[in-house]
Every structure is written in C-alpha cells, then in structure tokens.
Amino acid sequence: MTRKCWRIAPRDLDRQHALQRAAGVSPIVAQLLLSRGVDTAETARLFLEAKLSNLRDPSLLPGVTAAAEAIYVAIEARERIVVYGDYDVDGMTATSILSQCLKLLGADVGTYVPSRMEEGYGLNDEALRTLAAQGAKLVITVDCGIASPSEAATAAQIGLKLIITDHHEPGPELPQAVALVHPRLPGTNYPFGGLCGAGVAFKLAWAICQRANNSTKVSERMRAFLVQAVGLAAIGTVADCVPLVDENRVLVQYGLRSLKENAGLGLTTLMKLANLADKPALDAEDIGFTIAPRLNAAGRLGQAQLGIELLTTTSESRATALAEYLNELNSSRQSLERSIYLAANKQAQEKFDPENDPALVLADYDWHPGIIGIVAGRLVEKFHRPVILVALDKLGVKPGTGSARSVPGFALHEALAGCSQWLVGHGGHAMAAGLKVEERKLDTFREQFCQLVLDQEEAPARQAELLIDAELPLGLLTHATVEQIESLAPFGQGNRRPLFCATGLSLCEPPKQIGGGGRHLSLRLEQDGVRMRGVAFGGGEWLEELTAIDGPIDVVFRPTINTFQGARRVEVQISDWRATKAAEALS
C-alpha cells in the first residue's frame, strides 16, 4: 500500500472564535471556512448563500454581446446554424444548452460532435467542409476552438461564419472569427476565469435571450428554459472539474435544485434508472459519480451524439430507450475500465518500478482509447506521479492514442511540448492531456518524458498528501454536525469535501469486500464505545493488510448521512488508514 502524508490544517482559535461571532456560524463551520481562505463575515455570507443574483450579467463576458447579435441576425435570416461541440460531458451539456436555446427562438439549428476515435478533439477542416457542403452558414463552437487558428482560416476560406466559445487555454495565435467568447480572453479582465464550456454556453444563451427580448430581462418562456439550463450547466461544471467557487458555485448549487425539480425528460429518465429519483436532494457527487459517468460513457465509446439527444429529446419513448442504452454503455465502460486497470497495474509492477520511477508510460494493443484516461487517473491516485497510457494500433498503421494525467505542481502540457519531436501531436492542460505517438518512438518518448519529470519535480511531491481539516472523534459525528459540514456544499474542485481523522479505532469485525469485483470495502469501527459503519470506495485492495492488523488503527474520513429505507444514519467514507502504533506525528 502506497503511504500518504497526513497534514492537519493549522488551527487558530482566536480567528475561529472571531469568525463564529461575526458570521453567526458553528465552531466547525468557522474552522472549515478559515481553512478555505474565507475569513470575514461578508465573504462567509457570499460563500454560504451563493445567491443566483451573484451571477454576473452575461454582457460582461468577453465577446458575448457580439456573438449574441450575430446569432440573432442569423436566426432572423433563417440561416442554417450548427453548434459544434465536444464529446465529453462538458461539451455535451454546452451543445445541448445552446442548441435548445436557438431552437426555442425558431432557429434552423443542428449539432455536430467529432468522433473521439476518428477525428479527435476540437475543430477539424474536413468536418467544417462537410458542414458547409450541407448548407451551414454559421458554426458556433462550444468547449473548443480557441486554439484552432488554422481551422478558423479554413472556415473563412469556404464561406463559413464562425463564432468560438471556449474556456481552454488560448494558443499563441488567436483564431479569426465573428466573435470569440472566453472568460480569459487575452486583453480582457472578466472577474472570474473558471467557467467551463457549459458555463460559457449558458451565459451566451442568456445573452441571446436578452437580445431576442430587446431587454436585460427575458421572456417568461425563455426564463423557464434558462432555469432548466442551469441544471445542464451544473452537470458540465462538476464533470469538467473546474473550481466550485464564485459563479461556478452558484451554477452548481442552483443547478442541483433544477435537476431535482425541473430536469428535462431524458435526464429525469436517466436519474430514475440511476436510483436518484427518490433522493430528497441531489449533491455534486451525484453528478460526478452517477450522472456524468453515464453521459461520458457515450463520448468515450464514440457515441456522444446520443448523449446530446438524451439531454434534448421531448419524446418519452426515445428518452427511455436512450437512458437504458446509456446505462448499458456505462456498465460496458466499467467492465473495460476494470480490465484495463488490472492490466496496466500489472504492467507497471512487472516491467517498471512504480514506487521510484518519476513517471509511468504504459502501452498495450488491447486498451480502448476512450477509457485509458480514467485508468490513468486511477493510477495517479495509486502511485502519485504522472501517468500516460497509450492505446496502440493493432495493425501498426495508425499512431498510438495516449491519455495523460498529472499530479499538482507538474504541468503536463509543458512537458509534452518538451517532448514534441517524438510525438505526432498533443494538447491539453496542466493536469490532463492527450497525445499521439508512433509505436517505434514510444521508448524514446518514455525516456525523455521521465527525464523531464525528474528534472522538474522535487522528490517529496511524489508522495500523496492528505490535507485534514481537523481531528474529529466518532462520538462527535452527530446528524447536526454532519449537516453543518454539508452547509459548505457543493463540494468539488476548489472546494474539496472536508477530511477529518480519528485515532485509536478498533475493527469490530473483519472487513468485507463489496461492489463489483470487490472494489470497495465495508468496515465496522469502534472508538470509545461508539460504533459506526465505514466504507472505503476503491479500497478493496486493503483487505489483506487490514485483516492482518492486530491492534487499533487511525483513519482519515469524510462523514456522510446514509439514507436507506427511510432511516438516516451517520457513516464515514474512509480515504486512508494506518496502524496506530506505526502512525507518524501529525503536523
């Protein structure tokens, strides 16, 4: 078991007591707010309330006004408009938001999503030429295009008007287009640069609705649409792992309510199949672990258009058929993921030294290119170092397709740029990236990439670190305490779910593996006479070690309330553990 470094956040009782009094919050909420940089009554109020009115007017977003005007003119002229999206959940939800908005306003609109396996991410010349030949006059990108100046030039050459909406990092040259809508557009100063593609699409849809009504207010019909669209924006925001602060926090908080009360027909059907319909309220984890994976399965397995159709359909029979199919696709994806993970983990252990190598670059002919990114992420969690998985072409004709995931502090896109001479192509972010590499160059690329990691990375960064908010005995884990912790939701990137630790716990009975393939672990814990159930998701491999423990253990956990058959009980989700006698001093 790869050990993690436990760090307890420093506690300043004077500041905690001051925030308690000023903001009127409980001691534990005050401590959690301080550890998240929220230290005044006003910032605490903004954080905890997250009012819908805190969303900035869309006109402030760079490029939105010009884009909305051009789109409205195209609608009035009955020009064929195509929303060009991406095959991930952010791209699907962004495409759905914008296409539904335009359809409600009477536009002649269609959608296009490139094939993950055949075309890859973003704009491509062949697709643009095909769309133009089919009569498209205006193409609006969502979640892509800001780094595609060459493809934008192609659009201009063939007479296509182009509007680009994106949130990814711009390249050294901006594309030429009718409008560029981007929260971090060079030369602009929008106050919040963390919107995802769906968030940007939502702001543009809002601006189009305002233009259609010639007012900052929108018609009642379009207002009802926007309220429902907030739910789609929330799904894209959580799925794309952008920071859940500022406007994103508002979108997700209200989007979760919208999904519960006013989801579209397809989403409602999917949530019933996923056993979410009976939950009294949804949380961000329901999106991240239940809704998004089912949508993502379509994109990963080359059928993203079906995900968009599910999000936009008004046919009850079609909604049922699509929801059932996506559910089945997700099961297939899970099976593929498990088999690839086992094979990749075995390859890492047998052919390399995962505890000491600066990075892992693994490859196989039997790996699905749409699944390897998930597995790379799981291996990063296991070994805490950059991981690249490459799906090789069995015929040896095409280059291998790679997905890379990183650890905080190491920028993947910069490292891949440093190895570009060995790659056919690459793109992405600091934490996630994609690449193409010829098999004959794979070994050299692996060597060069690992050397770059070694040159740029300090050794301590290779040990995973858990930032623990406080020590919290099981006896203090009441319903009231957990509900106070939940007041900081929605949790996710930039607002992590709080972590706590408890020491000197006993195992009341042998731990049990649960879930498909025994991936998870169920435990009964006891501390000072208080007994509580614990679940370690993904911790099935701890079974042997935990069973062999003869003595107390310390655990790092997240408290939760489990509702089952009407009963509500506090449980803990275990993130890490160690034998008490072997535990190092916590700092």
Side-chain angles (χ1 to χ4, degrees), residues 275 278-280 479 533 535 560-571:
N275 300 316
D278 294 331
K279 286 195 67 175
H479 285 81
R533 181 175 183 258
V535 178
T560 184
I561 295 177
N562 183 14
T563 302
F564 182 68
Q565 295 182 342
R568 301 172 76 244
R569 63 182 182 187
V570 177
E571 295 183 349

Side-chain angles (χ1 to χ4, degrees), residues 118 125 134 195 245 252 278 284 352 415 487:
E118 300 300 324
D125 291 342
Q134 292 173 347
L195 292 170
V245 297
V252 174
D278 294 331
F352 302 97
S487 69

Side-chain angles (χ1 to χ4, degrees), residues 278-354:
D278 294 331
K279 286 195 67 175
L282 298 177
D283 57 39
E285 285 91 342
D286 290 323
I287 292 177
F289 297 110
T290 304
I291 298 173
R294 285 163 170 77
L295 293 172
N296 222 357
R300 291 188 178 280
L301 299 177
Q303 302 186 63
Q305 198 69 46
L306 294 181
I308 294 170
E309 187 181 353
L310 174 86
L311 297 175
T312 57
T313 187
T314 56
S315 164
E316 189 170 334
S317 61
R318 190 62 178 156
T320 299
L322 287 168
E324 289 176 348
Y325 184 60
L326 291 192
N327 220 32
E328 292 172 6
L329 273 186
N330 188 53
S331 296
S332 299
R333 188 271 305 167
Q334 289 173 327
S335 178
L336 282 170
E337 180 188 335
R338 282 193 293 269
S339 64
I340 294 173
Y341 176 79
L342 291 173
N345 190 46
K346 182 178 180 182
Q347 186 181 131
Q349 303 281 3
E350 293 181 353
K351 294 187 177 181
F352 302 97
D353 183 1

Side-chain angles (χ1 to χ4, degrees), residues 7-11 31 35 467-470 496 587:
R7 302 289 185 199
I8 293 186
R11 187 177 182 185
Q31 184 176 349
S35 69
L467 180 57
I468 300 164
D469 288 281
R496 60 183 178 80
S587 57

Side-chain angles (χ1 to χ4, degrees), residues 3 23 62 220 541:
R3 294 296 173 189
E220 282 302 312
E541 60 189 29

Side-chain angles (χ1 to χ4, degrees), residues 27-37 469 484-485 488 498 500:
I28 193 165
V29 169
Q31 184 176 349
L32 293 174
L33 287 172
L34 287 171
S35 69
R36 283 151 181 76
D469 288 281
Q484 288 169 8
I485 294 168
L488 277 72
F500 302 93

